[in-house]
Amino acid sequence: MSLEEIVKQRILEDGPMSVSQFMALALGHPQYGYYMKRDPFGADGDFTTAPEISQMFGEMIGAWVADIWAQLGQPARFYLVECGPGRGTLMADMMRVLPEDVRKACKIVLMEMSPVLKAKQKESLKGFEVLWVNALDEISAHGPVVLIANEFLDALPVRQFVGKNERVVKVEDGKLVFDPSSGAIVETSDERVKFFQDVCALIEKQRGAALFVDYGYFSGTGDTLQAVYRHKFCDVLVHIGDADVTAHVDFGTLRDATTLPLFMTEQGKFLRGLGIEKRAEYLLKKASTGQAEQIKSGLRRLIADDEMGKLFKVMGVVSGSEIHPAGF
Ligand code: SAH
């Protein structure tokens, strides 16, 4: 049975399916869900993310973490949590640049649902002690928490509404279709807001900070549900379980969902503020011709306005106003 057949079967049995139920199944069905059975990254996969584009991304985030650790009073133990760590590349790049005292103080916790990606993470972080969890409430932290999530929030299910009607997926003439099929769409994500508030509660209780990087917008809504299959956008209702289904992150709604000190900016500004251009210059000095091209193109993709620089946003939350996160 394919995931498309499973979706149709469920609709026939239980009636039309909300967009959020559809998204959760497409990504997380235990057997056929998109993330559950493959490593989606890289040239042979479906899409590429910032840590996979350049090591400088993880290095900058590592510097950000080290600075937060210092501002927390250099705790002897803290929890470095990453949600949706993919191949583990970001965490491995961070570990390479963290000063030894910070590295020794941190306990790495990875929140990941995919068995395939967990195996990749194990490989990338060989030699480090890592704890895997399936959900935030499995983390029993005995010290400050610094949480990182790159391209994680976009994978959390959204609901869509046209007027008062919730948009659903139904079967028509044997095919999956959206209903209503037209009209102005408003998108919400209870799951994303809940997750965000749980993170805020965790860092408020333990002290610490959280950093979210994702494509999205500061305000305004609309239909942002999208599917990507082999580096190209495709119809959300085809290639089910074989295409990555995500939605842009409504950062404005998250900002309004907490009372903790919160900071937002664009990825390009954030990485420039942390000194990514200086880091590139330094790496270029030691690079071969081939490597130099890669460093330059990586830098451009991460920070240029017409690449990821503006579309991707960065949101930082801290447990108290005595902490001033870098890069904002
Ligand atoms: N941060 C990585 C990967 C982004 S892709 C990078 O930038 O390269 C999204 C990641 O989140 C994958 O690792 C996926 O398996 C994981 N994921 C998605 N939904 C999840 C959920 N509900 N719980 C745990 N992990 C999830």
Side-chain angles (χ1 to χ4, degrees):
M1 227 183 184
S2 69
L3 192 48
E4 180 173 338
E5 286 163 38
I6 292 170
V7 169
K8 283 182 183 162
Q9 190 63 37
R10 286 219 187 163
I11 292 173
L12 292 177
E13 284 166 11
D14 304 334
M17 186 182 277
S18 69
V19 170
S20 65
Q21 279 171 308
F22 173 80
M23 205 173 155
L25 261 184
L27 295 178
H29 183 278
Q31 207 181 344
Y32 299 111
Y34 179 71
Y35 282 116
M36 303 308 266
K37 54 183 186 187
R38 67 159 67 65
D39 170 0
F41 308 103
D44 300 333
D46 295 299
F47 62 97
T48 308
T49 56
E52 302 300 331
I53 288 171
S54 167
Q55 66 177 68
M56 293 185 287
F57 184 76
E59 291 171 347
M60 292 300 113
I61 309 277
W64 188 87
V65 169
D67 176 59
I68 294 285
W69 176 79
Q71 294 192 50
L72 286 165
Q74 311 189 337
R77 193 114 187 95
F78 78 105
Y79 292 74
L80 184 54
V81 181
E82 187 181 353
C83 299
R87 284 177 169 171
T89 310
L90 170 57
M91 187 58 82
D93 288 339
M94 289 199 324
M95 286 301 130
R96 213 180 37 250
V97 296
L98 283 186
E100 198 172 343
D101 43 356
V102 189
R103 209 170 48 228
K104 281 201 172 131
C106 85
K107 168 105 190 126
I108 302 173
V109 181
L110 302 180
M111 181 174 137
E112 175 57 67
M113 68 173 179
S114 159
V116 181
L117 291 174
K118 267 184 210 171
K120 287 263 171 190
Q121 293 154 18
K122 209 167 269 180
E123 230 170 85
S124 306
L125 291 164
K126 224 180 257 160
F128 293 100
E129 201 190 308
V130 176
L131 176 71
W132 275 271
V133 295
N134 294 307
L136 271 188
D137 60 11
E138 288 173 27
I139 303 170
S140 50
H142 304 284
V145 170
V146 181
L147 182 142
I148 310 290
N150 185 61
E151 288 206 38
F152 173 75
L153 295 173
D154 63 68
L156 298 183
V158 295
R159 297 171 72 184
Q160 293 190 327
F161 295 88
V162 176
K164 286 202 175 84
N165 297 326
E166 176 149 17
R167 202 165 178 235
V168 293
V169 180
K170 65 177 191 181
V171 181
E172 208 172 75
D173 302 329
K175 276 196 186 147
L176 291 173
V177 293
F178 284 113
D179 182 35
S181 58
S182 62
I185 292 170
V186 173
E187 230 166 53
T188 64
S189 178
D190 313 338
E191 290 196 42
R192 204 182 273 153
V193 171
K194 162 103 176 47
F195 171 76
F196 175 71
Q197 288 180 326
D198 289 348
V199 169
C200 290
L202 180 67
I203 62 170
E204 188 169 20
K205 179 158 167 261
Q206 299 297 134
R207 294 187 73 226
L211 189 73
F212 301 94
V213 186
D214 227 305
Y215 41 87
Y217 44 91
F218 291 138
S219 66
T221 46
D223 177 16
T224 72
L225 193 66
Q226 64 181 42
V228 172
Y229 179 68
R230 301 198 177 145
H231 299 273
K232 288 205 174 77
F233 289 108
C234 72
D235 192 314
V236 174
L237 298 178
V238 302
H239 300 306
I240 302 170
D242 292 323
D244 186 29
V245 181
T246 62
H248 286 220
V249 176
D250 173 3
F251 283 102
T253 293
L254 299 182
R255 177 191 52 214
D256 297 340
T258 184
T259 52
L260 292 180
L262 185 141
F263 307 80
M264 293 201 293
T265 189
E266 292 162 354
Q267 176 169 303
K269 287 187 184 151
F270 179 77
L271 293 174
R272 278 199 190 94
L274 289 174
I276 195 168
E277 285 155 320
K278 284 225 168 66
R279 179 68 184 156
E281 259 171 48
Y282 172 82
L283 291 173
L284 281 170
K285 274 187 207 143
K286 306 189 302 180
S288 66
T289 320
Q291 288 168 331
E293 280 318 304
Q294 207 195 349
I295 293 163
K296 283 187 213 157
S297 76
L299 178 69
R300 200 185 126 62
R301 283 182 73 183
L302 291 178
I303 67 174
D305 283 357
D306 58 347
E307 297 269 357
M308 299 172 85
K310 257 181 150 24
L311 173 65
F312 280 70
K313 312 292 192 288
V314 183
M315 189 170 80
V317 193
V318 294
S319 56
S321 54
E322 74 285 3
I323 304 170
H324 306 280
F328 293 98

